[in-house]
Amino acid sequence: MSSGVVYIVDDDEAIRDALAWLFQSRGVTVETFASAETFLAGWSAQRCGCLVLDIRMDGMTGPELFDRLLDLGSCLPVIFLTGHGDVPMAVSAMKKGARDFIEKPFNDNDLVDKVIEALIWDSARRESDAGAASVAARLDSLTQRERQVMDLVLAGRLNKVIADDLGITMRTVEVHRAHVFEKMGVRTAVELATMLSRTR
Amino acid sequence: MSSGVVYIVDDDEAIRDALAWLFQSRGVTVETFASAETFLAGWSAQRCGCLVLDIRMDGMTGPELFDRLLDLGSCLPVIFLTGHGDVPMAVSAMKKGARDFIEKPFNDNDLVDKVIEALIWDSARRESDAGAASVAARLDSLTQRERQVMDLVLAGRLNKVIADDLGITMRTVEVHRAHVFEKMGVRTAVELATMLSRTR
DNA sequence: GGACCGATTGTGGATTACCGCAATGGTCGC
DNA sequence: GCGACCATTGCGGTAATCCACAATCGGTCC
């Protein structure tokens, strides 16, 4: 079973409890919230999992919460549940990146399968993001000059050409180049190019 | 105005004519089809543009045509039009990659804007695909040995290590390496890595 | 059989990359 | 003022890459 929690946001307590029971019976960790505002109050970018979100609620609606989360930079996968379908809203949500949009009544197993799939996806995305953050941090540690040299190295230029371009000696290019490789944790320009292309 | 044609598929002649007139008045080239089968009979992967597709038609339906096109490997952007929304169908189409799903009645300018956007997108995608095809053709021209050497070069290995790995001399590695660079049209391993990462 | 292609190898020389060791000058923070 | 950091430079030497020229062998196709 993959890591992560299912966050259920629905103002109908019976629905919340039924869904909680359903997921727990499939071994999935659950947290429930009676309102979008409650969920939002405890929101953190570190939350791992999947959000199952009802459309219609008192106060902030499901789509409004979704928009708010997008504004906050959340990448948490979102599955909408709705009792009364509305095509423009469904299409809008999907275009904004919602994972799914499911009408009630739905098949229990279908929903849980989709949620588990979303949990797996979220887990993989977090892992990939962590790698990207590590590379970004290393890029941030480069000095301005090192960055300039790196860009020209990645453009395939010879050291002597880089020296001409920047108006410095080849030895200085070599020094910066070596610093770049050291800080980025690579030994060759190919490794560097490959590393950066994987985190674009 | 971007290149490409709007293909309108709808069994209602009045709708077809009205849409044709609308797009022509905005300077967009149009072709109309009275049925999915008619469109499919003339289909080719070289078609550039955007497909505006009615959901309900006699014979093959819009979604059925969409599925058929996906099976054929079509990347043509598709915008669905429908008089009676159906959430599961809309969500399913969006998940399969439809560009939009619009209910009638719609705002004329909205539709044309969305179609023009899709034409621009299609044009950029074709350009990118052409580049990828060119690279793929060059990769196909490599001999088996050249391919082996290339993979190890891209792994950042020294020529002498590659020679050891493959049980050949360094000179032979150099020869294959040079052939790879020549066939791929690059001068350095970095250029090669970059080229390949852009077409993954 | 002959032509062609791919894989392989060697020689010798030129170019490029890499780096230890050493040094200078400028800027910034304590 | 002092230390840390950055940018820069030079010297000398080693390692790696690149390649013209030349050649052999085996497999495939006409």
Side-chain angles (χ1 to χ4, degrees):
Chain A
M1 186 52 61
S2 72
S3 65
V5 183
V6 181
Y7 305 101
I8 299 172
V9 181
D10 196 316
D11 59 357
D12 183 326
E13 183 177 12
I15 302 271
R16 283 200 313 275
D17 292 347
L19 289 178
W21 179 87
L22 173 64
F23 285 113
Q24 280 158 355
S25 70
R26 288 282 296 270
V28 180
T29 312
V30 190
E31 283 183 36
T32 60
F33 301 82
S35 71
E37 288 88 349
T38 309
F39 176 78
L40 210 42
W43 186 78
S44 142
Q46 312 312 326
R47 283 194 195 267
C48 306
C50 168
L51 178 58
V52 174
L53 191 49
D54 188 45
I55 293 282
R56 302 196 193 290
M57 294 187 283
D58 294 332
M60 191 183 271
T61 66
E64 283 168 344
L65 173 58
F66 186 41
D67 287 342
R68 184 83 186 97
L69 290 174
L70 293 178
D71 287 343
L72 290 172
S74 166
C75 298
L76 210 50
V78 174
I79 294 179
F80 281 100
L81 297 182
T82 182
H84 304 285
D86 173 341
V87 167
M89 187 184 292
V91 171
S92 170
M94 297 303 293
K95 284 167 79 173
K96 288 178 187 171
R99 194 157 178 88
D100 221 319
F101 200 100
I102 302 175
E103 287 189 300
K104 303 168 187 170
F106 47 75
N107 177 290
D108 286 354
N109 279 329
D110 279 354
L111 175 62
V112 177
D113 288 346
K114 286 185 201 300
V115 165
I116 289 174
E117 216 176 274
L119 291 178
I120 291 169
W121 177 88
D122 183 62
S123 180
R125 181 194 56 79
R126 284 183 180 276
E127 218 174 297
S128 172
D129 283 357
S134 166
V135 170
R138 280 182 253 174
L139 283 174
D140 276 351
S141 73
L142 300 181
T143 66
Q144 192 174 21
R145 202 56 154 174
E146 286 165 355
R147 192 60 187 265
Q148 287 174 341
V149 169
M150 183 186 81
D151 290 341
L152 294 171
V153 167
L154 288 173
R157 301 278 175 79
L158 302 183
N159 287 349
K160 70 177 182 180
V161 173
I162 294 171
D164 281 346
D165 287 350
L166 299 180
I168 53 179
T169 66
M170 270 177 55
R171 185 71 189 88
T172 303
V173 172
E174 290 169 4
V175 170
H176 290 313
R177 186 188 177 105
H179 285 164
V180 169
F181 285 6
E182 184 188 351
K183 289 179 178 181
M184 299 308 292
V186 298
R187 292 159 308 152
T188 67
V190 173
E191 268 187 67
L192 181 61
T194 301
M195 169 194 271
L196 293 183
S197 74
R198 285 201 181 125
T199 60
R200 183 154 307 156
Chain B
M1 185 52 62
S2 73
S3 65
V5 183
V6 182
Y7 305 101
I8 299 171
V9 182
D10 196 317
D11 59 357
D12 184 326
E13 184 178 11
I15 301 274
R16 281 198 317 272
D17 291 345
L19 289 177
W21 178 86
L22 173 64
F23 285 114
Q24 279 159 356
S25 71
R26 288 282 297 269
V28 179
T29 311
V30 190
E31 282 181 38
T32 61
F33 301 83
S35 71
E37 289 88 349
T38 308
F39 176 78
L40 210 43
W43 187 79
S44 141
Q46 314 310 328
R47 283 195 196 267
C48 306
C50 168
L51 179 57
V52 174
L53 191 51
D54 188 45
I55 292 282
R56 301 194 193 290
M57 293 187 284
D58 294 332
M60 191 183 270
T61 66
E64 283 169 345
L65 173 58
F66 186 39
D67 287 344
R68 183 84 186 97
L69 290 174
L70 292 177
D71 287 344
L72 291 172
S74 167
C75 298
L76 209 51
V78 174
I79 294 179
F80 281 100
L81 297 182
T82 182
H84 304 284
D86 172 342
V87 167
M89 188 185 290
V91 171
S92 170
M94 297 303 293
K95 284 168 80 171
K96 288 179 188 169
R99 195 158 176 89
D100 222 320
F101 200 101
I102 302 175
E103 288 189 299
K104 305 167 185 170
F106 47 75
N107 178 290
D108 287 352
N109 279 328
D110 279 355
L111 175 61
V112 178
D113 288 345
K114 287 186 202 297
V115 166
I116 288 173
E117 217 177 273
L119 291 177
I120 292 168
W121 178 88
D122 183 63
S123 179
R125 182 194 57 79
R126 285 185 178 274
E127 218 173 296
S128 172
D129 284 357
S134 165
V135 170
R138 280 183 253 173
L139 282 173
D140 277 350
S141 74
L142 300 180
T143 66
Q144 192 173 21
R145 203 58 157 171
E146 286 165 353
R147 191 60 187 263
Q148 288 174 341
V149 170
M150 183 185 81
D151 290 342
L152 294 171
V153 167
L154 289 173
R157 302 277 175 81
L158 301 182
N159 286 348
K160 69 178 182 180
V161 173
I162 295 171
D164 281 347
D165 287 350
L166 300 178
I168 52 179
T169 66
M170 271 176 55
R171 184 72 189 90
T172 302
V173 172
E174 291 169 3
V175 170
H176 291 313
R177 187 189 176 105
H179 285 163
V180 168
F181 285 7
E182 186 188 349
K183 289 181 178 180
M184 298 306 293
V186 298
R187 291 160 309 154
T188 68
V190 174
E191 267 185 67
L192 181 61
T194 302
M195 169 193 271
L196 293 183
S197 73
R198 286 203 181 122
T199 59
R200 182 154 309 154

